[in-house]
Each structure stands twice: as C-alpha cells, then as structure tokens.
C-alpha cells in the first residue's frame, strides 16, 4: 500500500510540474537530476558541488553515473508497464475528463499505453470524424452493435 | 473548447514527439530545488533571467524602451513574473541582440536567445492563461525554463523521427582548463548525457511500438474479419 501511495504521489507531482524527475543519489540533495518532459525532451543537470562532496566521500564518477542510469531504467520500466497505478481504461478516462483536453499529455504519468492512446489513436479518430463523420460512423455503429450483441449473448 | 482546438492540442503534442532533445548542463555550487507551484516558479524564472541580464560580469547593459524614453532595466521590472515582466525581458534581450551581433563562440549568445524565446512564449501564454490554473503548454514550457535556467548547455543532442541526429558541444568541453567543471571531467558529462540519450530513445521506441500496436489493433477491429 505505501508503494501505491508513493506511485500516486509521483503521478500527482508530474501532473503539477509537467515532468518526471529522477534524482540521484537522494531526492532532497541530488548530484544528478534528469527531467523527462511530457513532450519527450530530457534535461540532465549535474550539480558539481554535490558531485564533489560524493567523490570526496569515496563515490566514483562511474558508479554515480551507473546508479543514475539504473534509476532511469527503473522509471522507464514503470512507465512502459501496461497497467500502472490504476488500470488503463480508468487512467484514460481520468486523463481526458479530469484534466480536460489540455491534460492529454499527463497520461504518460500513468502508463505509456494511455499516453499512446491520448496522442495517437484519439487524434486519429478525431481527425477521421472531422474529415468524414459518415465514414467513421458507418464503421463504428455496426461495431458497437456487434459488441453489444456479443455482450448480451455472453450474459444470457 | 471547440473540436478543432481539441485536435490541434493533441496534434501539437503528437508533433512534439517527432523530435527529441536531450540537454546536459552543469550547475556549479547550487543545490537542486524542485519546481514550486506555477505562480512562484514564474516569478523565480523571471528573476533569474533578470539577474543574468543585469549581472555586470556579463556586460550586457539591458535597456527598456517605453514610448520615446529609453531607460535601464531594473530588478523591479521583472520581479512579479507576470505577463508584463516577461514582455520586458523579451524586449530587453531582443534589444541587446539587435544592438550588435555577438561572436559565434560567445557563450552569452545562446542564453540571450533562450531568454528572448522563452520570455516571448511565456508572455504569449500568460495573455490567455490564468497562472493559477496553468495549461499543459505553460507547465511544460515553464518546467524546461526552470530546469535549464541561465546555465550554458554543455551537450545537446536532437533526434528527429526521419533519423537525423545532431549533437552540439559547448567549446568548454574542448578547453584545456582542468578546473572548468570543478571535480567533474568531460568524460563523466559525456557518460551522463549518453545514458539520458539511451533512456530517451528507449522511451521513444516503446511509445512508437505501442502506438503501432494500438493502431493495428484498431484497424483489425474495424476492418478485419469478425467472429461474432
């Protein structure tokens, strides 16, 4: 449970600040900070005072870089997971409703699948509806009917 | 919000994903502070930009033109971090850049152009946004401005979806001065930058793989044979 709370607080932090931050070796006084922005860009900051202190205490530069790389890999692994803190459909719904349209990018805070839906699949559907609503509806309505019929058959 | 606005916003975000940029900076003698709430961050970024322009060591002498009067920029002009403050920063940086081109290897050049460009964009967004309820666009831009500040970008790599990769190095990476980065050697900076680059490309690849999988899945559901 504490892990879920930690993950949730990280999501909320990302929503508030617009980036995922990986801070090594410790969150409050880091030597290396990598900020992964919602649009994919990365800013890597090296704090020379803190690095100097760590090197003075026996840490090697290679060791520090390796720890930071592992922390980034772990964070990336969590983002790539199909289901993050909450399930994908709920995350998608929250992304599109709770934060409004402008919040689509925040989906990456939950998981990469929600993000891909937000920035690729939904814009494609939206584009299709604007270009030719009849074409999209002609395909979508039978699909929805089939889905409903299948659900009804399954239940009965 | 209109449907067109919805599509444009999502499209902008998807478009931004077609280019990735990894910037590495070295901050001397500072501790890493997390970005505070938007209103406070706006004020702090404006003050940092103001400090860079006004620092006598940088020799920039920023001026502001108000009607027919031209006067020096003051701390109080930018302290609030509101739309007017960012417009003043934009104009002051622009005036310096127009007053005479800096040499190509002058490290003040990229920082001045960053101050002008970020201030112009933030001022434009503040004209239509309440900073207490920031839009995603303002949040992303402000976070970038907060992270990079007025530091010199030591290494920068841009990757484009068509396969182009451009890496830029600050001349200080080639300098023979052993104390230019304090206890850090250029090999360490390069290692940290390359690790970030690997992370960015791995994330990028995962996103595109997943998008292809989702679009393929959607296509199969719409056009493929159904087994109802």
């Amino acid at each position: 449970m504490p892990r879920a709370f930690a993950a949730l607080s990280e999501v909320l932090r990302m929503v508030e600040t617009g980036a995922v931050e990986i801070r090594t070796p410790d969150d409050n006084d880091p030597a290396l900070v990598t900020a992964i922005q919602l649009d994919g860009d990365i800013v890597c900051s090296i704090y020379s005072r803190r690095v100097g202190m760590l090197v003075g205490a026996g840490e090697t530069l290679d060791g520090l870089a390796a720890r930071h790389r592992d922390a980034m890999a772990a964070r990336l692994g969590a983002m790539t997971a199909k289901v993050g803190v909450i399930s994908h459909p709920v995350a998608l719904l929250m992304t599109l409703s709770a934060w409004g349209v402008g919040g689509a990018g925040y989906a990456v805070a939950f998981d990469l699948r929600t993000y891909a839906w937000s920035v690729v699949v939904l814009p494609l559907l939206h584009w299709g509806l604007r270009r030719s609503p009849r074409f999209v509806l002609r395909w979508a309505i039978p699909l929805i009917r089939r889905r409903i019929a299948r659900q009804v058959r399954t239940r009965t | 919000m209109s449907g067109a606005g919805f599509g444009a916003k999502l499209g902008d975000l998807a478009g931004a994903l077609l280019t990735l940029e990894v910037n590495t900076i070295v901050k001397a003698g500072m501790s890493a502070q997390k970005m505070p709430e938007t209103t406070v961050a706006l004020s702090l970024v404006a003050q940092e930009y103001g400090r860079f322009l006004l620092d006598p060591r940088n020799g920039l002498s920023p001026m502001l033109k108000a009607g027919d009067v031209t006067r020096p920029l003051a701390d109080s002009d930018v302290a609030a971090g509101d739309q007017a403050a960012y417009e003043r920063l934009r104009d002051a940086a622009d005036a310096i850049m127009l007053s005479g081109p800096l040499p190509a290897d002058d490290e003040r050049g990229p920082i001045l152009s960053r101050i002008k460009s970020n201030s112009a964009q933030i001022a434009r967004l503040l004209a239509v946004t309440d900073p207490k309820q920031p839009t995603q666009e303002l949040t992303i831009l402000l976070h970038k401005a907060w992270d990079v500040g007025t530091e010199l970008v030591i290494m920068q790599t841009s990757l484009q979806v068509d396969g182009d990769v451009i890496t830029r190095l600050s001349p200080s990476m080639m300098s023979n001065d052993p104390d230019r980065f304090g206890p850090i050697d250029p090999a360490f900076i390069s290692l940290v930058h390359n690790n970030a680059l690997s992370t960015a490309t791995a994330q990028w690849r995962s996103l595109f793989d997943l998008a292809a999988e989702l679009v393929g899945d959607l296509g199969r559901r719409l056009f493929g044979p159904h087994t109802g």
Side-chain angles (χ1 to χ4, degrees):
Chain A
M1 207 45 150
R3 201 174 151 197
F5 274 123
L8 192 61
S9 72
E10 193 179 351
V11 166
L12 293 175
R13 166 99 195 131
M14 187 177 181
V15 167
E16 193 187 346
T17 64
V20 174
E21 280 186 354
I22 297 112
R23 300 158 79 91
T24 308
D26 94 73
D27 201 45
N28 294 321
D29 192 10
L32 299 174
V33 177
T34 296
I36 304 174
Q37 318 277 350
L38 289 173
D39 60 2
D41 288 354
I42 286 186
V43 178
C44 229
S45 305
I46 302 171
Y47 289 85
S48 58
R49 179 193 62 83
R50 183 75 171 123
V51 172
M53 283 168 61
L54 290 168
V55 169
E59 174 80 69
T60 63
L61 290 177
D62 284 351
L64 189 62
R67 279 167 72 180
H68 194 59
R69 186 197 56 218
D70 293 346
M72 279 194 289
R75 186 68 191 92
L76 179 67
M79 279 160 67
T80 312
K82 295 270 179 182
V83 177
V85 183
I86 50 179
S87 73
H88 163 64
V90 178
L92 189 61
L93 214 65
M94 280 179 73
T95 297
L96 293 178
S97 58
W99 286 290
V101 172
Y106 295 141
V108 76
F110 295 114
D111 61 62
L112 214 57
R113 188 170 168 224
T114 311
Y115 192 46
W117 260 96
S118 306
V119 299
V120 180
V121 181
L122 289 179
L124 269 177
L125 281 174
H126 180 262
W127 175 80
L129 273 169
R130 284 185 67 80
R131 296 280 295 200
S132 177
R134 286 177 66 187
F135 176 79
V136 173
L137 292 175
R138 206 165 60 211
W139 285 104
I141 287 173
L143 185 82
I144 293 165
R145 278 191 187 142
R146 280 202 300 272
R147 271 284 178 140
I148 293 170
R150 202 181 309 163
Q151 288 291 323
V152 171
R153 273 203 304 274
T154 311
R155 278 164 196 255
T156 55
Chain B
M1 181 176 289
S2 69
F6 175 88
K9 278 199 179 293
L10 290 175
D12 286 349
L13 196 66
L17 288 168
L18 299 181
T19 307
L20 280 189
E21 200 176 272
V22 178
N23 292 294
T24 299
I25 52 181
V26 176
K27 297 188 176 183
M30 293 165 66
S31 59
Q33 191 191 349
K34 287 185 180 176
M35 191 175 99
E37 62 181 275
T38 306
T39 47
V40 179
L42 279 167
S43 171
L44 292 175
V45 168
Q47 287 168 26
E48 188 178 355
Y49 284 177
R51 260 197 306 278
F52 179 83
L53 296 177
L54 291 165
D55 190 335
R57 288 172 297 179
N58 293 330
L60 295 169
S61 312
M63 304 295 281
L64 266 186
K65 198 171 178 185
D68 294 336
V69 184
T70 303
R71 64 171 177 83
L73 181 79
D75 281 327
S76 54
D77 289 323
V78 302
D82 55 8
Q83 185 194 345
Y86 279 100
E87 283 170 351
R88 290 182 194 119
L89 285 164
R90 175 199 63 198
D91 295 344
D94 191 40
I96 295 167
M97 291 168 80
L98 290 173
S99 64
L102 295 168
D105 61 349
D106 192 324
E107 293 185 335
R108 296 172 302 171
I111 301 172
L112 266 178
S113 113
R114 185 190 311 150
I115 291 174
K116 181 189 161 188
S117 158
N118 284 351
S119 299
Q121 288 182 72
I122 293 173
R124 182 178 53 80
L125 292 174
L126 286 177
V128 293
T129 310
D130 176 3
K132 286 178 184 155
Q133 294 175 313
T135 59
Q136 181 199 32
E137 200 180 356
L138 178 62
T139 308
I140 293 176
L141 178 62
L142 186 61
H143 204 290
K144 276 185 192 168
W146 173 268
D147 280 334
V148 183
T150 53
E151 303 294 333
L152 185 68
V153 174
I154 305 291
M155 289 186 77
Q156 182 185 69
T157 302
S158 301
L159 296 106
Q160 281 156 22
V161 78
D162 60 6
D164 285 355
V165 180
I166 302 164
T167 296
R168 296 182 184 90
L169 290 180
S170 156
S172 54
M173 281 290 274
M174 306 298 171
S175 160
N176 290 322
D177 178 5
D179 292 328
R180 63 199 182 283
F181 300 126
I184 300 165
D185 64 57
F188 176 68
I189 297 173
S190 188
L191 181 62
V192 169
H193 184 80
N194 287 338
N195 285 345
L197 200 56
S198 304
T199 302
T201 47
Q203 190 194 5
W204 212 19
R205 196 172 49 238
S206 304
L207 185 66
F208 278 100
D209 285 352
L210 209 53
E213 186 189 313
L214 289 171
V215 172
D217 189 41
L218 200 68
R220 273 192 299 278
R221 285 181 190 209
L222 283 174
F223 305 111
H226 64 276
T227 52

